[in-house]
Amino acid sequence: MAEISLVKKGAQLELEIERLVFGGRGLAHHDGFVVFVDGTLPGQKVSARVVKKRKGYAEARVESILRRSARQVEPQCVHFGECGGCRFQHYAYEAQLAAKLGQVVESLEHIGGFSNPPVLPVLGSPEPFYYRNKMEYSFGRQRWLCREEIENDQLAKPKDFALGLHVRGRFDKILDLDTCYLQSQLSVDILNFVRDFAKESGEHPYTTVDHTGYWRHLVVRDAKQTGDLLVNVVTADHKDHDLLVGVLAKKLLQAFPQITTLVHNINRRKAQVAIGDSERIIYGPGTITEKIGDCTYQISANSFFQTNSLGAKILYDKVLDFAGFGENDLVFDLYAGAGTISIYAARRVRQVVGFEIVTDAIKDAQMNCGLNEVTNCSFVAGDLKSSLVAKEAVAAYGTPDVLLIDPPRAGMHPDVLNQVQILAPGRIVYISCNPTTFARDVQILCDTKYELAQVQPVDMFPMTPHIELVSLLNRC
Ligand SMILES: C[S@@+](CC[C@H](N)C(=O)[O-])C[C@H]1O[C@@H](n2cnc3c(N)ncnc32)[C@H](O)[C@@H]1O
C-alpha cells in the first residue's frame, strides 16, 4: 500500500529546527520532506502548521515553541517579532555568525558546485547594536496594530497614521516605532519628534492608492566617526512647503542642535522611494562627512554609502589584504558607487579606474578624491554592460592587473561577466552582499580561468539574516 505523506497543507507538525538557511528561515525535516519555518532558531522544537506544499518541500508557520534553543537570548526591543528590522535579536551573536558562515558555505556548495569551499570564519561587527549610519523610515496610513495593544485592548493611538519601519512581509503596514536598536537614540528621538509634528500638521501620509497625501519618508544619516547628522524629509508636492517642512525644520533645529544639515526631497512620482525629483537644502551644506579608516568621504542625502561605518573598515581592509596590491598596479573598480573603495585603494597602486552607472555618485567620487588628495583615480560613467567593453577600456587605460567587483544584490549581468573573462586580470577581488548570486557568478569564472582562493564573510548587518563577503579569485 502506498504511504500517505503527513506533510499536507493545514497539517500540524512537531518539528526539530536543524539550521538556518539563506534568508534566515529555519529548516526541519518531516516525513522525508524539507520544511521551512520562518522565525525559528536551530535547536528549537516547534509546533507548526503547513501553509504551503511543493514538490520536495513545504513551508510551515509556527504556532508554539515546545523547546527553546540553547543559544536563544532575551530580545532587547519591544518591537521584536513584529518589526522588519532585527529578526535575530533573540539569537546569541556568536550563533548568528556561525549561521551566516553556514549560509555562505551552503550557497557555494549547492549553487556554485564547490566542495569544501575556502570560507574563513565570519568577522563580526565591532558593534552588534546601534551600528547603522543611515535609517530610512516610512510614513503610512495603515498603522500596524501591535500584539500587546490588541491583547490589552489599548487602541489609543490613531490607526491611520504611522512613521516607522515596514512590518515584515507587509508592505502596506507600518510599525509606529518608538524605539530602535539599529541606529542611535538621537535618531529615534528625531523620528518621534517628526511624527508628532506631522500628525498635528493636518496633512496625511502619502498613499500610492490614489496618489494623495504629503508625508512620505524620513531619512536620518548619522556619521559614527565625525558626529555629523543629516535629516532628510521626503514629501509629495504641495503649494506651500514652507508652512509644513519649513516650520518642521525650524522646530527640529531648535530641539536638536546636533543636526548639522537638513534637506527636503520632493518626490512627485508614485514609486515609494526616499529619493526626490528635486532636493532643497534647508540648513547646512546638504552633505555629511564620514570616515572609513583614514579616508574621508562626503555623502549627500541620496548617495550609496556602506551603512555600517566601523564594519566597512574591516571589509575594506580585507579587500586590500586579498588584492595584494603592488605600487605599479592598474586597478578597475567595477560598480564603484561614490568611489569609496577606489579611494581606499588608491594610495597603494599606480591608478584606479572606477565604473559606475549613477552620475551623481561619480560626482561624489570625484569630490571625495579631492577631499583625500587622491589624484590617481578616474571614473567612467555608464552601464557596465556597455561601458566596460573590454577593448575600449583597455585601449583607454591599459590591461588591469586587479579587478575589484562589488555588484548590487542581483550580482553581475552575463554581459559584464563576459567582459570580465575577456579582461582576465591576474586577481579578482569580488565583494558581495548576496551569497547566492556570488556563488552563481564565481562558478562561471571558476569554470574557465579562475580558482576561488579565499572567501571572508564580514558581518555588516548584525541581528538580520544579511551577510557581506570579500573573496579572492586567482587566474589559473
Ligand atoms: C553595492 S554598491 C557598491 C558601491 C561601492 N563599491 C561601495 O562600497 O560604496 C553597487 C553599485 O553598483 C552600481 N550599479 C548597479 N548596476 C550597475 C551597472 N549596470 N553598471 C554600473 N554600475 C552599476 C550602483 O549604482 C551602486 O553604486
Side-chain angles (χ1 to χ4, degrees):
M1 208 168 76
E3 265 188 56
I4 300 170
S5 171
L6 297 173
V7 181
K8 293 190 184 114
K9 191 168 175 190
Q12 190 164 18
L13 308 175
E14 279 192 10
L15 299 168
E16 295 274 354
I17 306 300
E18 298 160 25
R19 59 195 164 90
L20 294 176
V21 293
F22 180 71
R25 292 186 298 175
L27 177 145
H29 282 91
H30 196 281
D31 198 21
F33 260 77
V34 167
V35 187
F36 296 110
V37 200
D38 210 0
T40 56
L41 296 178
Q44 281 181 337
K45 183 174 179 180
V46 301
S47 169
R49 196 168 294 280
V50 178
V51 289
K52 196 187 268 183
K53 187 180 168 190
R54 294 282 180 270
K55 207 173 169 217
Y57 79 95
E59 291 175 13
R61 188 176 301 135
V62 183
E63 300 214 316
S64 60
I65 308 284
L66 305 174
R67 189 187 60 232
R68 280 169 64 93
S69 160
R71 312 306 310 277
Q72 204 165 331
V73 294
E74 279 315 304
Q76 307 210 13
C77 185
V78 289
H79 300 302
F80 175 77
E82 295 180 280
C83 177
C86 306
R87 282 167 54 199
F88 290 121
Q89 263 199 22
H90 62 330
Y91 203 29
Y93 188 50
E94 292 307 316
Q96 291 180 33
L97 297 182
K100 290 181 185 194
L101 174 65
Q103 288 178 34
V104 175
V105 171
E106 189 173 86
S107 298
L108 283 165
E109 286 177 348
H110 292 172
I111 300 169
F114 294 87
S115 55
N116 293 320
V119 187
L120 296 161
V122 181
L123 296 173
S125 171
E127 289 181 353
F129 292 107
Y130 307 113
Y131 58 87
R132 286 187 67 94
N133 57 33
K134 179 185 175 193
M135 283 300 280
E136 190 175 302
Y137 305 108
S138 301
F139 285 94
R141 286 194 198 176
Q142 292 192 53
R143 187 172 67 79
W144 175 255
L145 305 180
C146 300
R147 259 188 322 256
E148 211 176 288
E149 59 179 333
I150 295 172
E151 280 164 13
N152 300 332
D153 203 15
Q154 286 176 334
L155 297 170
K157 289 202 274 180
K159 292 180 188 169
D160 61 353
F161 200 110
L163 173 59
L165 295 179
H166 284 272
V167 174
R168 190 165 136 68
R170 293 297 303 266
F171 291 99
D172 52 339
K173 301 274 185 196
I174 303 290
L175 186 78
D176 213 31
L177 284 185
D178 46 25
T179 184
C180 180
Y181 285 79
L182 284 177
Q183 204 174 30
S184 58
Q185 185 54 44
L186 185 56
S187 162
V188 175
D189 294 343
I190 291 171
L191 166 83
N192 290 327
F193 189 96
V194 171
R195 181 193 302 110
D196 288 346
F197 178 92
K199 247 189 210 171
E200 295 296 311
S201 70
E203 295 291 334
H204 297 289
Y206 171 85
T207 170
T208 49
V209 175
D210 56 4
H211 200 40
T212 60
Y214 184 64
W215 304 104
R216 297 189 72 152
H217 298 278
L218 168 72
V219 183
V220 180
R221 292 195 104 143
D222 175 12
K224 301 292 178 193
Q225 305 282 49
T226 63
D228 279 6
L229 186 73
L230 176 146
V231 174
N232 175 16
V233 182
V234 186
T235 69
D237 212 351
H238 194 278
K239 59 182 180 315
D240 200 348
H241 291 296
D242 287 343
L243 266 182
L244 296 157
V245 173
V247 176
L248 168 63
K250 274 196 196 113
K251 294 193 170 191
L252 264 175
L253 291 166
Q254 261 168 14
F256 300 98
Q258 303 93 326
I259 296 174
T260 53
T261 190
L262 203 151
V263 301
H264 175 205
N265 270 258
I266 303 163
N267 178 4
R268 301 176 181 88
R269 292 157 297 148
K270 272 201 163 182
Q272 278 290 48
V273 289
I275 299 178
D277 316 296
S278 56
E279 178 172 291
R280 304 191 301 149
I281 298 174
I282 297 183
Y283 173 75
T287 57
I288 55 166
T289 300
E290 177 62 310
K291 286 183 85 83
I292 299 179
D294 57 6
C295 292
T296 304
Y297 301 98
Q298 206 162 304
I299 312 156
S300 49
N302 295 322
S303 49
F304 176 90
F305 192 74
Q306 293 285 350
T307 50
N308 182 340
S309 306
L310 301 180
K313 178 173 182 336
I314 296 176
L315 186 80
Y316 290 0
D317 283 343
K318 213 56 204 170
V319 171
L320 299 188
D321 178 19
F322 277 1
F325 291 129
E327 58 185 22
N328 261 326
D329 280 349
L330 169 66
V331 179
F332 281 7
D333 179 13
L334 312 191
Y335 308 93
T340 335
I341 302 182
S342 304
I343 291 167
Y344 209 80
R347 284 188 203 127
R348 305 196 172 215
V349 299
R350 176 167 56 85
Q351 197 189 1
V352 186
V353 184
F355 296 77
E356 167 60 43
I357 200 166
V358 176
T359 42
D360 278 352
I362 292 198
K363 279 186 206 144
D364 284 354
Q366 282 157 341
M367 184 189 56
N368 283 325
C369 283
L371 212 59
N372 290 281
E373 297 176 1
V374 161
T375 52
N376 58 341
C377 285
S378 32
F379 295 92
V380 178
D383 190 331
L384 267 164
K385 292 200 289 288
S386 46
S387 65
L388 183 71
V389 174
K391 264 194 287 183
E392 286 173 27
V394 169
Y397 299 99
T399 306
D401 302 288
V402 185
L403 278 190
L404 307 178
I405 307 180
D406 183 12
R409 288 185 68 75
M412 276 195 276
H413 187 277
D415 291 351
V416 182
L417 258 170
N418 223 353
Q419 297 297 323
V420 167
Q421 285 168 304
I422 295 170
L423 283 172
R427 280 156 289 152
I428 295 177
V429 177
Y430 189 142
I431 303 133
S432 167
C433 58
N434 184 343
T436 61
T437 53
F438 166 73
R440 179 201 66 199
D441 291 349
V442 292
Q443 183 193 36
I444 294 168
L445 292 170
C446 291
D447 270 352
T448 50
K449 297 193 171 87
Y450 287 90
E451 177 210 33
L452 182 60
Q454 266 186 323
V455 180
Q456 175 63 73
V458 182
D459 188 22
M460 304 283 279
F461 315 104
M463 310 300 143
T464 79
H466 301 293
I467 181 73
E468 189 91 16
L469 62 86
V470 188
S471 66
L472 172 64
L473 291 103
N474 287 322
R475 197 178 57 214
C476 303

Short mmCIF file of all heavy atoms in Angstrom, two decimals, residues 1-5:
data_model
loop_
_atom_site.label_atom_id
_atom_site.label_comp_id
_atom_site.label_asym_id
_atom_site.label_seq_id
_atom_site.Cartn_x
_atom_site.Cartn_y
_atom_site.Cartn_z
N MET A 1 0.84 -1.21 0.00
CA MET A 1 0.00 0.00 0.00
C MET A 1 0.88 1.27 0.00
O MET A 1 1.84 1.34 0.76
CB MET A 1 -0.87 0.01 1.26
CG MET A 1 -2.16 0.76 1.06
SD MET A 1 -3.29 0.45 2.43
CE MET A 1 -2.61 1.46 3.70
N ALA A 2 0.56 2.22 -0.86
CA ALA A 2 1.38 3.44 -0.94
C ALA A 2 1.28 4.22 0.37
O ALA A 2 0.21 4.31 0.96
CB ALA A 2 0.89 4.30 -2.09
N GLU A 3 2.44 4.73 0.85
CA GLU A 3 2.43 5.53 2.09
C GLU A 3 1.83 6.90 1.84
O GLU A 3 2.05 7.51 0.80
CB GLU A 3 3.86 5.72 2.57
CG GLU A 3 4.25 4.69 3.59
CD GLU A 3 5.59 5.00 4.19
OE1 GLU A 3 5.75 6.11 4.72
OE2 GLU A 3 6.46 4.12 4.11
N ILE A 4 1.04 7.36 2.79
CA ILE A 4 0.44 8.69 2.63
C ILE A 4 1.26 9.68 3.44
O ILE A 4 1.49 9.47 4.63
CB ILE A 4 -1.03 8.69 3.09
CG1 ILE A 4 -1.80 7.68 2.25
CG2 ILE A 4 -1.65 10.07 2.97
CD1 ILE A 4 -3.18 7.39 2.76
N SER A 5 1.74 10.74 2.79
CA SER A 5 2.57 11.70 3.49
C SER A 5 1.76 12.48 4.53
O SER A 5 0.60 12.82 4.29
CB SER A 5 3.18 12.68 2.49
OG SER A 5 3.80 13.72 3.20
#
